[in-house]
Amino acid sequence: MGASFSACKSDPVGALPLQSKPSLGDLPESCAALILGYLDPPEICKLAKLNRAFRGASWADFIWESKLPSNYQTIVRKVLGDGLENLGKRDVYTRLCQPNSFDDGTKTVWLDKSTGSVCLSISSKGLAITGIDDRRYWNHIQTEESRFCSVAYLQQIWWLEVDGEVEFPFPAGTYSLFFRLQLGRSSQKRFGRRICNTEHVHGWDIKPVRFQLWTSEGHYASSQCFLTEPGKWNYYHVGDFVVENPNASTKIKLSMTQIDCTHTKGGLCLDSVLIYPSEFRERLKHF
């Protein structure tokens, strides 16, 4: 019996093959897809590099459709037209995460890569600014500090009034609206350092600036504050509004005024208006 056992060990012919331990590479693609569905988009993209199963699963339409806004088809038609019918949902998500311009390039919309939430920005050229055509008061200046590559610069004026509006199919949720402003004139970097000329900043510490917004769903918000911190871009919170019906476009009107004519004010850069999901408000403090 011992000899027989010894022969079996030394001659493996006919012996059963040793079973290797299962690994992630053996996971069925359908199971990998179910796992990816619980992750956010950046994590999905990381796991797609792990092996073939996760790479194939990362293209599943049902995963990316759950990450897209509920009314993404309406948003696609608004900013990209009707040319994406044959694209997979991952490609649609990727396209919407890029800055997409509309209204002659004066507005840009994109999805937050991590959450799929809609963000929107209106350039200074997309706003109605009193006196903008008179170069004694306002100028458009080129700068790398704006996503639109230019800002409106106020030299000096008695009556400050900026109005704007946008109509967009926002998904249901709560949104916050901000003005992005800077006291001081931005200029090109010198020796790698940012330069901001604050010589002509004046008048903003006498009376506050008033911000307002109205929506087609009946929401109204207002705030007022003094403009401070020369040489630094700040996000001034106008207020919040709620979108309840994602199947209809929400129209938003907004304004920024300082119309006390007892003094002049100047040295202000107006970059843009931003509309972000309200849960992103803390992010703007670190920009």
Side-chain angles (χ1 to χ4, degrees):
M1 182 174 178
S4 175
F5 179 74
S6 177
C8 182
K9 285 189 68 179
S10 61
D11 183 10
V13 175
L16 294 174
L18 295 175
Q19 297 293 321
S20 61
K21 293 182 179 180
S23 66
L24 282 175
D26 301 313
L27 193 69
E29 193 172 296
S30 58
C31 293
L34 291 175
I35 294 172
L36 294 179
Y38 288 98
L39 306 179
D40 61 35
E43 292 173 331
I44 293 173
C45 294
K46 288 180 181 178
L47 276 184
K49 301 176 183 178
L50 187 61
N51 57 43
R52 184 178 300 176
F54 279 100
R55 184 164 58 251
S58 70
W59 288 92
D61 275 351
F62 81 89
I63 293 177
W64 293 98
E65 189 149 20
S66 69
K67 310 303 178 186
L68 286 161
S70 61
N71 64 340
Y72 75 91
Q73 294 175 325
T74 304
I75 295 174
V76 166
R77 287 193 295 270
K78 172 77 173 178
V79 299
L80 299 174
D82 298 320
L84 301 183
E85 293 87 351
N86 298 323
L87 289 183
K89 299 300 185 291
R90 175 171 167 169
D91 286 329
V92 173
Y93 191 93
T94 300
R95 287 289 301 275
L96 289 179
C97 284
Q98 300 170 3
N100 297 283
S101 299
F102 63 104
D103 283 1
D104 298 323
T106 62
K107 300 177 179 67
T108 298
V109 66
W110 66 97
L111 299 186
D112 176 70
K113 292 180 180 180
S114 296
T115 65
S117 301
V118 170
C119 307
L120 188 146
S121 183
I122 308 171
S123 75
S124 59
K125 293 184 177 179
L127 302 171
I129 303 174
T130 299
I132 190 63
D133 296 323
D134 193 328
R135 293 177 64 86
R136 293 176 299 172
Y137 306 126
W138 289 91
N139 286 296
H140 285 291
I141 59 175
Q142 301 298 311
T143 176
E144 297 177 353
E145 296 182 0
S146 169
R147 69 170 59 248
F148 297 99
C149 299
S150 73
V151 299
Y153 176 68
L154 172 63
Q155 299 182 90
Q156 180 171 286
I157 206 165
W158 291 89
W159 180 288
L160 173 70
E161 185 171 21
V162 179
D163 297 294
E165 64 178 57
V166 61
E167 189 169 353
F168 194 81
F170 288 96
T174 303
Y175 296 85
S176 298
L177 190 145
F178 306 84
F179 274 82
R180 185 173 188 257
L181 309 171
Q182 175 186 258
L183 293 180
R185 176 172 179 148
S186 297
S187 59
Q188 299 298 324
K189 292 182 179 179
R190 297 179 185 175
F191 306 107
R193 296 183 61 186
R194 177 178 179 272
I195 304 298
C196 183
N197 185 344
T198 60
E199 179 183 357
H200 300 291
V201 174
H202 68 281
W204 305 108
D205 57 346
I206 299 175
K207 290 292 180 66
V209 173
R210 187 181 187 192
F211 304 97
Q212 298 180 88
L213 73 84
W214 304 259
T215 76
S216 54
E217 296 187 347
H219 294 278
Y220 169 76
S222 68
S223 63
Q224 60 179 23
C225 64
F226 292 95
L227 305 188
T228 59
E229 298 182 275
K232 176 184 177 182
W233 287 105
N234 282 307
Y235 294 88
Y236 292 90
H237 181 222
V238 179
D240 300 340
F241 63 93
V242 176
V243 174
E244 298 176 351
N245 182 9
N247 298 316
S249 289
T250 300
K251 189 172 185 179
I252 303 161
K253 293 185 176 182
L254 52 103
S255 73
M256 167 186 169
T257 56
Q258 212 290 23
I259 54 178
D260 181 356
C261 293
T262 61
H263 66 283
T264 62
K265 37 265 176 188
L268 174 71
C269 276
L270 166 57
D271 173 34
S272 58
V273 170
L274 288 92
I275 300 175
Y276 275 16
S278 292
E279 62 265 28
F280 291 178
R281 282 182 60 179
E282 288 300 314
R283 291 190 189 182
L284 296 181
K285 294 180 180 180
H286 306 291
F287 280 4

